C-alpha cells in the first residue's frame, strides 16, 4: 500500500445514497449492498462499519469475501454470487458452517454444496440463479424447474431464494429487460417462502416492478449512476475523493516535452508538477493528455503519458502549486471535471472499472 495515496470515503455520502434508495423502494424490500472487489475499490475496512447497521445483508463475489465478512463479526445474510467449486474443501465446508448463502446455477454447483453440507453435517442455504437472457451465470430458464426440484429433494440443502440478473437495465429502452422480467416471473414457484430478487442499481432506479423482496445495490450505493442514460434520475453523492501531494515542481522552458514518447509539448515557459500516481495504481494510462487533476480548486491538465507510478501536470497557472500541495486526483463533486464518470468517459470505460482499479495501492480513510 502507498500511504501517500489517499482515498477519502465519505460516510455521509453513503448514508445519503442509502436513504435515497430506501425512499425509492417499498418498506418490505430488503437492501443488500454489493460489496465485491473490496466495495468496488472503496475499501471494506472503512465502509463495513458504516454499512453494517444500515443494510439487510451483503452480496459478495467470492467465498473468501463472504468468510471475511463473518470474520468481521457480521451475523446477518451474506450472499455469495459465485460458486465455490474450485475452492479448497475447507473453504467449501466453512461456507456451510458459517451459514453463507451460496448460489446454485447448475447440478455441479449443487453437488459441491451438498457434499460440503454432508461433511459438516449442517444444512446449506442456497439461492438459485436463473439466466433469463444475460447469457452469463445462471441456469437456463427451461432447466430451472428441474434444478429447483433437485434441490428440494435434498434434505441438507435448503432453497431460500431465487434470482436473476439484467443485462440492459441501464438503457432507456426496457424491452429486453421487460422480457427478462417476464421470463423470470414464469419460473418463480408459487407459494413457498423464497426470497425473490433481480434488481441491480439500474433496475432500482428505473424499474420498480423488478424490486421484488430484495435489491442488490452496487454502483449507486457508492454514488455513481449506472449509465449515462440514468445520470439525472437520482441525486446520488459520489463517496470517494482520491488525493496525493505534489512531490516535485519544476520549470520547463517553452518547447520542452514530458513523459514517455514525449507526447506533450509545452507551448510556453511552464511550471510542471509531478504527481505520484500512475497506471500501476489504477490511474488509467489512456487518461494521458486528456484528464485534469485539481489543485486548490483549479484544473491542472495531465501532460504527457501517465507512467506506472507518476505523472506530470501543468501548474503554470496555479501559483499555489508547490511541493506538498494537495492534488485532488478524483473529485467527489459530481460536477467536477475529474469526477469518476468523466474519467471513465475519457478512458473509454465505465465508473465501475475506474473505482475498482484505483482501490488496490491506496490508503482508505473514512471522513465525515
Ligand atoms: C455486481 C452485481 C450487482 C450490482 O450491480 P450494480 O450495477 O453495481 O448495481 C448485482 N447483481 C449481481 C449478480 C452482480 O454481479
Amino acid at each position: 500500500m502507498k500511504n501517500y495515496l489517499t482515498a477519502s470515503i465519505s460516510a455521509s455520502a453513503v448514508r445519503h445514497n442509502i436513504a435515497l434508495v430506501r425512499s425509492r423502494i417499498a418498506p418490505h424490500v430488503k437492501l443488500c449492498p454489493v460489496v465485491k472487489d473490496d466495495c468496488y475499490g472503496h475499501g471494506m475496512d472503512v465502509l463495513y462499519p458504516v454499512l453494517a447497521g444500515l443494510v439487510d445483508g451483503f452480496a459478495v463475489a467470492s467465498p473468501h469475501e463472504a468468510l471475511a465478512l463473518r470474520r468481521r463479526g457480521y451475523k446477518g445474510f451474506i450472499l455469495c454470487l459465485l460458486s465455490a467449486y474450485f475452492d479448497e474443501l475447507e473453504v467449501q465446508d466453512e461456507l456451510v458452517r458459517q451459514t453463507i448463502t451460496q448460489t446454485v446455477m447448475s447440478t455441479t454447483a449443487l453437488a459441491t454444496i451438498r457434499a460440503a453440507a454432508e461433511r459438516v453435517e449442517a444444512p446449506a442455504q442456497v439461492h438459485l440463479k436463473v439466466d433469463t437472457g444475460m447469457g452469463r451465470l445462471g441456469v437456463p430458464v427451461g432447466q430451472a424447474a428441474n434444478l429447483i426440484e433437485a434441490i428440494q429433494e435434498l434434505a441438507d440443502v435448503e432453497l431460500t431464494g431465487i434470482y436473476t440478473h439484467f443485462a440492459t437495465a441501464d438503457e432507456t429502452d426496457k424491452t429486453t429487460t421487460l422480457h427478462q422480467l417476464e421470463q423470470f416471473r414464469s419460473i418463480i414457484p408459487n407459494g413457498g417462502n423464497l426470497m425473490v430478487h433481480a434488481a441491480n442499481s439500474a433496475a432500482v432506479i428505473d424499474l420498480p416492478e423488478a424490486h421484488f423482496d430484495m435489491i442488490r445495490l452496487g454502483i449507486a450505493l457508492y454514488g455513481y449512476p449506472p449509465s449515462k442514460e440514468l445520470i439525472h434520475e437520482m441525486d446520488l453523492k459520489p463517496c470517494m475523493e482520491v488525493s496525493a501531494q505534489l512531490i516535485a515542481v519544476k520549470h520547463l522552458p517553452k518547447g520542452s516535452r514530458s513523459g514517455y514518447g514525449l507526447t506533450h509539448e509545452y507551448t510556453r515557459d511552464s511550471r510542471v508538477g509531478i504527481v505520484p500516481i500512475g497506471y500501476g495504481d489504477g490511474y488509467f494510462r489512456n487518461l494521458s493528455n486528456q484528464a485534469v487533476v485539481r489543485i486548490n480548486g483549479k484544473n491542472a491538465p495531465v501532460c504527457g503519458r501517465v507512467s506506472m507510478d507518476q505523472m506530470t501536470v501543468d501548474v503554470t497557472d496555479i501559483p499555489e502549486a508547490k511541493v506538498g500541495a494537495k492534488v485532488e486526483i478524483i473529485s467527489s463533486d459530481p460536477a467536477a471535471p475529474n469526477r469518476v464518470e468523466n474519467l471513465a468517459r475519457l478512458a473509454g470505460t465505465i465508473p465501475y472499472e475506474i473505482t475498482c482499479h484505483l482501490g488496490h495501492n491506496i490508503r482508505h480513510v473514512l471522513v465525515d
Side-chain angles (χ1 to χ4, degrees), residues 30 32 56-67 69-70 74-84 91-105 109 113 123-129 151 156-163 193-197 214 216:
K30 292 190 158 50
C32 179
D56 303 301
F58 286 98
V60 295
S62 75
H64 288 93
E65 291 171 319
L67 295 173
L69 271 170
R70 282 282 183 260
Y74 190 69
K75 299 200 166 51
F77 170 76
I78 299 176
L79 174 64
C80 187
L81 298 167
L82 297 179
S83 168
V91 171
Q92 296 178 8
D93 292 356
E94 203 54 20
L95 291 174
V96 178
R97 272 193 216 105
Q98 302 278 349
T99 58
I100 307 294
T101 300
Q102 301 188 63
T103 294
V104 166
M105 72 310 273
I113 294 167
Q125 273 85 44
V126 301
H127 283 195
L128 181 78
K129 182 166 193 189
I151 301 169
D156 37 16
V157 181
E158 295 169 358
L159 181 66
T160 52
I162 181 164
Y163 73 102
N193 232 347
L194 294 188
M195 185 190 291
V196 179
H197 51 109
M214 183 176 89
R216 301 188 306 269

Side-chain angles (χ1 to χ4, degrees), residues 268-272 295-301 313-321:
R268 57 178 175 167
D269 290 348
S270 300
R271 283 177 75 241
V272 174
I295 298 170
N296 215 7
K298 297 175 187 160
N299 295 343
V313 297
D314 187 336
V315 296
T316 313
D317 297 325
I318 313 177
E320 324 74 289

Side-chain angles (χ1 to χ4, degrees), residues 97-152:
R97 272 193 216 105
Q98 302 278 349
T99 58
I100 307 294
T101 300
Q102 301 188 63
T103 294
V104 166
M105 72 310 273
S106 67
T107 48
T108 322
L110 181 58
T112 307
I113 294 167
R114 183 203 189 172
E118 280 179 353
R119 284 193 301 271
V120 305
E121 297 179 6
Q125 273 85 44
V126 301
H127 283 195
L128 181 78
K129 182 166 193 189
V130 188
D131 178 10
T132 55
M134 171 101 173
R136 201 183 66 179
L137 201 64
V139 62
V141 170
Q143 297 163 28
N146 280 344
L147 196 50
I148 291 174
E149 221 171 279
I151 301 169
Q152 285 170 342

Side-chain angles (χ1 to χ4, degrees), residues 187-255:
I187 49 87
I188 299 173
N190 288 324
N193 232 347
L194 294 188
M195 185 190 291
V196 179
H197 51 109
N200 54 3
S201 295
V204 167
I205 295 170
D206 216 23
L207 200 68
E209 61 265 50
H211 292 177
F212 294 103
D213 302 322
M214 183 176 89
I215 57 165
R216 301 188 306 269
L217 187 71
I219 198 79
L221 171 75
Y222 309 106
Y224 319 102
S227 68
K228 286 192 281 300
E229 285 74 10
L230 300 180
I231 274 180
H232 301 295
E233 288 293 323
M234 263 173 112
D235 174 31
L236 296 166
K237 288 204 167 111
C239 73
M240 178 167 72
E241 179 197 279
V242 174
S243 62
Q245 289 170 290
L246 283 180
I247 54 166
V249 178
K250 70 207 296 187
H251 289 272
L252 288 179
K254 181 178 172 185

